[in-house]
């Protein structure tokens, strides 16, 4: 028997250990989170990416629990994939459980899944593991980290966190629990590295209260606030500002509506019933009497803000004099889309308030001074930076070293790299095989491969050029059919030139070659011809008729 | 006769008046700059975008001069397109003229183009215009703005600038000239808005000297510094650090080599001859004795850094212990590529130094306090913010208002919008027709249209699916040929299902319909079938055999 505890980050794209972490002791496994990542701009056509948990497929019966830290998509979004394979119970705090139930219900998996609601402060005995969820502040309520006691020692997992002393829901992080872990002795700390290159201390969510107040003070016309549907605390702050400035609030967009309803029912939003009005009522109110709470802070074209910017919304049309507030951080990769939307909204006559000059958003993740505090509170033997790209983990690891943790006690690992540890040593093993799992369209694993993505990239650059060529012996016997898309706007000119090339090839080789050989010869000649004429290399195919 | 001066920003993509500005008085026209923009991530396959100067095509004989502010691509890159149409002389400072000559020579246009070298401080009389180029500091040497005296008044164009009191080349901006303009009375100021949402004062280039010193002090192994090939001052700073720390410098990459050679010859780089060594010599030196100066700060896959990160460089291979310095700002839209390269370099064992935690780059553009200084120095009647996206112009315009310029004296205009002005009034006219001109592959205007881009977008998402179907009457008489790329990795399954669909259609309609009708019916049925099976909509085409 291996007396060490074994840990593997099984993330998706880019960030390490963010979407899923596997912890094993003896023959028992627990999983933490199961989220999705959004594809990078050059992963063409891909909807999202799920963690590669192929490693678990021959160990499914050893999985004892799936624990969730909080309800953001990058931590819960792949649950409907995982629960098709895993039959272990889920453990989550009430809000997170509520969000999971919606997903599982839509995927018709709710009936066969067990969900245990837990509270921060509980102690759960799961096999040889003792799990202690503890409260952390982040940008969604009901967020926890975990103390995980194993026979090899105590592992502390921070979850996504910031040390916000004045969070909007009034529930600060559980410093006492962290200190208590420290007194018991912590083998290993897994800590959020998202802002490891950001100096200082992340500002409190309450800072936004003042910024919103200024925006509401200055605005004469309608106010439209866009944020993530899951950013419950932001909705609370906008609601509070609306009350203070005598406005009603209308919620637009399905996900935003669903979340507001659930948060009100479960008590995570504290707003009077008559504050929220429907769209018809909202339209009848004066422009200075209403604030719209909408989705689309990332510039998604199908979101409310996206449709507003391109004049495609049925429920809401932008008017000159509107104030649009983008109250969210731009996710890396979305910068271009978001700035384009901002420019469009200005173009339409709106006043746009966004991160650059006004404090309408603060990060939900700890900055470097908070990371230092966490390390000093927990005083772990080993530090494993997680939740960040490799460059963030490197910066976090260096910070750990600067604070006196020996270099050999810090594991900078990538997704799929197992680590084993006990009080004596920390061993980093060979990375498991695996990679990204793309989900596209049908939602089935394996439909999109590296090859498909490479082909899409070439199509995106140069399109395709297909010809139906009627031949008999050495002659082209009829009209050549050309089908091309995404290439160049030069059809007539290129069709004529290509036809000459084809006739020549058929004349020279038509009687001597098989159909496959002739097809190949024509394709080669046309590729060469098109490249000479245009400098581009579209996909070229011939169908002989 | 119109006694007003007329001004039209004829930019390319996104930023306004950046790439080209047209100034008209009476029947005389002068042009300022002619640059390119790089496409946004969703402008698939496009190489670059040039200004839409269609407006000028029936006025070519009225153009008296093409003036250039400095040698960056977004100000000179489209010169080879423009000079095919325009026969007026070019005016540029020596370094800019050198860069223009290289471009015109490569395009075989040098013989038919007249280039007049000018110096900051000169006075040029061109038709009814008096042009006074004045020195400004930016991130390339020999940069100027223009005072343009017209019968309707004096226009001051800032060019790209920052108020750097301690630039690397020791040549600060010409404050005295700006003040002199102010004393004469300035009708209109056109001013760089790039950093209009950045508070404070942009730091001096010399700040980087200290940061480089720290990097060189800390590095034991090889140092590889990546920046723009045109950032001559950065090359000077790295050279100075190399001398101080006893390293030689090797220059890698064609554009970087060309620029270093030209800058040395023209005296814009002040480095001893024995500092620069070739690659063979560099390889023989100890790792602590060499710094490589390379291109690729934007993560371009074919640049030196791009090839290093993916182990594809023939001339240079990354070693654990190397220090890679990315000494440039990430251009919006490139964030993803750049961070991916940083992660790759860390993965390969390098220490990567980049903007986030070290001052290895400062902006070349003025921040808000400098913008205020420029306005107070020049004291213009009218303010036209240029060089920025609409959101930057709005912020710059608001800043102008905060400083007391009346709202009606500030023109926030988009590319193609003419403005006319004299001492009495500023009139904004209807925007001209036009848009982006995409250049792709062959380099010819008009080959890439909106439709081609839309098709590429669909191909990038779902690929294509083409069938060659042999039919006779109501029967499919042979094997159906399938050609698909970029769709899904499901061929066998989908081919069988699709074949059944096709046979059904041919059986039902084969004897009654024309070939075109049958083709259309099969295509419709296959599109429906594929969408049901996969949720995706590839391009579907049938060729009957």
């Amino acid at each position: 028997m291996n007396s060490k505890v074994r840990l593997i980050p099984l993330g998706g794209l880019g960030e390490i250990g963010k979407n899923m972490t596997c912890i094993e002791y003896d023959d028992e496994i627990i999983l933490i989170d199961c989220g999705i990542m959004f594809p990078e701009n050059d992963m063409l056509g891909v909807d999202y990416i799920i963690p590669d948990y192929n490693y678990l497929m021959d160990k499914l019966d050893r999985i004892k629990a799936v624990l969730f830290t909080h309800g953001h998509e990058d931590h819960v979004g792949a649950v409907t994939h995982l629960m098709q394979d895993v039959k272990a119970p889920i453990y989550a705090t009430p809000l997170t459980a509520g969000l999971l139930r919606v997903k599982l219900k839509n995927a018709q998996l709710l009936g066969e899944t067990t969900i245990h609601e837990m509270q921060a402060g509980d102690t759960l005995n799961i096999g040889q593991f003792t799990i202690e969820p503890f409260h952390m502040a982040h940008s969604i309520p009901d967020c926890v980290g975990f103390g995980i006691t194993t026979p090899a020692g105590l592992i502390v997992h921070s979850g996504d966190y910031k040390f916000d002393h004045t969070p909007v829901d009034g529930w600060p992080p559980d410093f006492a629990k962290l200190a208590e872990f420290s007194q018991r002795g912590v083998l290993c700390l897994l800590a959020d590295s998202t802002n490891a290159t950001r100096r200082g201390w992340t500002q409190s969510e309450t800072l936004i209260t003042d910024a919103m107040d200024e925006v509401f003070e200055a605005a004469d016309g309608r106010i439209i606030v866009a944020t993530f549907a899951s950013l419950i605390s932001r909705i609370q702050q906008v609601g509070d500002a609306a009350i203070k400035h005598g406005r009603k609030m209308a919620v637009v967009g399905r996900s935003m509506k669903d979340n507001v309803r659930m948060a009100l029912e479960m008590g995570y939003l504290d707003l009077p019933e008559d504050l929220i009005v429907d769209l018809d009522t909202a339209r009848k109110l004066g422009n200075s009497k209403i604030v719209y709470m909408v989705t689309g802070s990332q510039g998604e074209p199908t979101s409310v803000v996206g449709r507003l910017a391109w004049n495609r919304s049925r429920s809401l049309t932008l008017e000159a004099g509107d104030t649009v507030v983008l109250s969210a951080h731009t996710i890396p990769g979305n910068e271009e889309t978001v700035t384009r939307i901002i420019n469009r909204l200005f173009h339409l006559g709106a006043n746009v308030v966004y991160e650059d000059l006004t404090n309408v958003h603060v990060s939900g993740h700890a900055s470097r001074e908070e990371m230092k505090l966490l390390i000093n509170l927990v005083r772990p033997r080993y530090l494993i930076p997680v939740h960040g790209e490799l460059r963030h983990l490197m910066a976090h690891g260096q910070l750990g070293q600067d604070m006196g943790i020996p270099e050999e006690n810090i594991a900078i690992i990538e997704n799929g790299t197992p680590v084993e540890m006990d009080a004596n040593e920390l061993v980093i093993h060979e990375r498991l095989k695996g990679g990204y799992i793309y989900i596209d369209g049908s939602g089935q694993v394996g439909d999109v491969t590296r090859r498909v993505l490479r082909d899409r990239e070439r199509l995106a650059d140069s399109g395709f050029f297909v010809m139906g060529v009627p031949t008999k012996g050495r002659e082209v016997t009829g009209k050549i059919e050309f089908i091309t898309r995404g290439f160049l706007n030069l059809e007539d000119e290129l069709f004529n030139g290509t036809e000459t090339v084809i006739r020549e090839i058929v004349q020279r080789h038509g009687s001597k070659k098989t159909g496959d050989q002739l097809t190949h010869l024509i394709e080669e000649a046309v590729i060469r011809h098109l490249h000479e004429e245009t400098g581009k290399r579209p996909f070229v195919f011939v169908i002989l008729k």
Side-chain angles (χ1 to χ4, degrees), chain A:
Chain A
M1 188 194 121
N2 187 344
S3 66
K4 291 197 174 74
V5 58
R6 182 176 164 92
L7 185 149
I8 315 173
L10 294 171
L13 174 75
E15 293 198 62
I16 290 136
K18 174 110 193 169
N19 310 126
M20 193 175 193
T21 305
C22 168
I23 298 179
E24 297 180 69
Y25 184 81
D26 201 357
D27 64 348
E28 294 180 331
I29 295 176
I30 55 172
L31 302 176
I32 298 177
D33 289 340
C34 187
I36 56 172
M37 292 302 275
F38 292 99
E40 301 188 345
N41 283 322
D42 59 358
M43 295 176 179
L44 300 169
V46 174
D47 293 334
Y48 56 91
I49 289 160
I50 63 169
D52 182 352
Y53 57 85
N54 204 36
Y55 168 75
L56 298 172
M57 290 309 283
D58 60 356
K59 307 172 188 68
L60 293 173
D61 56 328
R62 291 165 49 189
I63 301 171
K64 299 302 164 198
V66 186
L67 307 161
F68 286 92
T69 57
H70 66 289
H72 281 156
E73 283 300 310
D74 48 349
H75 294 263
V76 301
V79 67
T80 54
H81 291 274
L82 185 74
M83 300 318 281
Q84 289 174 32
D85 297 314
V86 171
K87 296 307 160 204
I90 284 174
Y91 293 82
T93 53
L95 179 64
T96 310
L99 292 164
L100 287 167
R101 269 190 212 102
V102 173
K103 286 182 187 299
L104 291 164
K105 195 175 168 193
N106 290 341
Q108 297 172 325
L109 285 165
L110 189 56
E112 47 196 282
T113 311
T114 308
I115 301 183
H116 295 301
E117 283 194 13
M118 66 184 181
Q119 300 287 348
D122 283 354
T123 301
L124 317 169
N125 291 301
I126 298 171
Q128 299 177 72
F129 300 99
T130 302
I131 315 282
E132 294 166 273
F134 58 93
H135 184 66
M136 281 298 234
H138 181 48
S139 50
I140 185 171
D142 230 9
C143 190
V144 294
F146 292 109
I148 302 162
T149 304
T150 73
L154 169 58
I155 294 171
V156 175
H157 189 309
S158 74
D160 278 2
Y161 80 101
K162 64 192 274 191
F163 280 139
D164 193 341
H165 294 294
T166 53
V168 175
D169 64 3
W171 192 3
D174 192 348
F175 293 99
K177 192 69 172 185
L178 290 167
E180 190 206 317
F181 288 144
S182 161
Q183 285 175 329
R184 288 192 230 159
V186 173
L187 181 69
C188 176
L189 171 66
L190 291 142
D192 179 1
S193 314
T194 309
N195 283 343
T197 57
R198 197 183 285 198
R199 293 192 185 89
W201 194 286
T202 302
Q203 292 179 299
S204 170
E205 294 284 319
T206 47
L207 202 90
I208 294 165
T209 306
D210 296 336
M212 283 294 168
D213 201 38
E214 275 174 47
V215 170
F216 275 69
E217 189 67 42
D220 298 323
R222 304 185 304 175
I223 302 175
I224 298 163
V225 181
T227 191
F228 296 109
S230 63
L231 232 176
I232 307 291
S233 64
R234 201 60 43 86
I235 301 169
Q236 179 73 48
Q237 289 175 303
V238 173
D240 291 342
I243 295 167
K244 182 170 170 192
H245 294 270
R247 290 181 185 246
K248 298 287 181 190
M249 182 159 92
V251 182
V252 193
R254 207 184 67 134
S255 55
M256 185 68 85
K257 268 188 178 153
D258 288 352
N259 281 9
V260 167
R261 191 180 341 100
M262 181 188 297
L264 281 169
E265 279 168 14
M266 298 177 78
Y268 292 100
L269 267 180
D270 178 21
L271 295 171
E273 249 179 58
D274 68 340
L275 177 73
I276 297 175
V277 298
D278 61 25
L279 269 175
D280 281 337
T281 314
R283 277 193 209 97
K284 287 174 202 141
L285 291 168
N287 284 355
S288 64
K289 294 292 170 206
I290 186 74
V291 54
Y292 293 89
M293 195 76 231
V294 308
T295 57
S297 59
Q298 300 304 307
E300 312 90 318
T302 56
S303 67
V304 179
V305 169
R307 281 181 280 137
L308 272 179
W310 303 103
N311 256 329
R312 279 197 290 245
S313 171
R314 257 167 291 166
S315 47
L316 205 58
T317 313
L318 204 74
E319 296 169 16
D322 286 347
T323 299
V324 180
V325 183
L326 299 184
S327 181
H329 176 63
T330 303
I331 294 174
N334 292 349
E335 294 87 353
E336 234 178 52
T337 329
V338 171
T339 56
R340 197 187 301 177
I341 292 269
I342 293 172
N343 289 328
R344 279 291 305 174
L345 295 169
F346 273 124
H347 175 86
L348 294 172
N351 178 31
V352 191
V353 182
Y354 57 107
E355 251 185 313
D356 281 20
L357 282 171
T358 324
N359 285 319
V360 287
H361 183 69
V362 296
S363 172
H365 297 272
S367 297
R368 289 171 68 85
E369 293 308 312
E370 289 156 279
M371 294 178 174
K372 292 179 189 169
L373 177 58
L374 181 64
I375 290 172
N376 273 340
L377 272 171
V378 172
R379 291 185 301 178
R381 179 183 298 264
Y382 307 124
L383 172 65
I384 304 184
V386 291
H387 297 193
E389 302 163 29
L390 189 52
R391 65 196 177 106
H392 300 121
L393 309 194
M394 297 295 296
H396 198 175
Q398 187 58 51
L399 180 148
Q401 273 192 60
D402 294 347
M403 294 180 66
I405 303 178
E407 192 176 350
E408 63 273 19
N409 285 3
I410 299 173
I412 309 287
I413 52 174
E414 299 190 70
N415 285 325
T417 303
V419 166
E420 290 191 333
M421 57 191 147
D422 61 14
N424 298 315
E425 58 170 0
L426 171 121
V427 184
I428 300 176
H429 291 279
E430 277 283 290
R431 194 169 175 177
L432 306 173
K433 274 193 189 136
Y436 307 141
I437 299 191
Y438 307 104
I439 304 292
D440 175 16
S442 57
Q444 292 309 307
V445 168
D447 295 356
V448 177
T449 55
R450 279 253 147 230
R451 183 180 58 81
V452 170
L453 290 182
R454 262 202 314 274
D455 289 348
R456 285 182 187 169
E457 213 167 300
R458 182 159 160 206
L459 285 167
D461 187 74
S462 310
F464 71 87
F465 196 91
V466 171
M467 295 143 284
V469 183
T471 61
K472 198 170 178 189
R474 294 169 54 171
E475 266 186 54
V476 175
T477 55
K479 207 169 167 307
I480 297 174
E481 214 172 320
F482 289 100
I483 301 171
T484 172
R485 288 291 184 279
F487 177 39
L488 289 172
N489 188 39
L490 288 171
E491 279 82 350
D492 285 347
E493 200 182 321
L494 287 176
F495 292 171
N496 290 338
T498 308
E499 189 159 338
T500 311
V501 171
I502 295 173
R503 284 183 191 278
E504 249 177 59
I505 296 281
V506 174
Q507 180 123 48
R508 190 153 12 126
H509 302 287
S511 55
K512 298 175 297 233
K513 304 283 179 181
T514 66
D516 281 357
Q517 288 171 327
L518 190 61
T519 300
H520 187 68
L521 285 167
I522 299 176
E523 285 171 354
E524 292 230 306
V526 172
I527 288 169
R528 217 164 30 237
H529 174 70
L530 294 178
H531 186 251
E532 274 163 19
E533 292 292 308
T534 69
K536 296 190 73 84
R537 295 185 189 281
F539 277 107
V540 169
F541 294 103
V542 163
I543 293 177
L544 293 183
K545 311 214 261 189

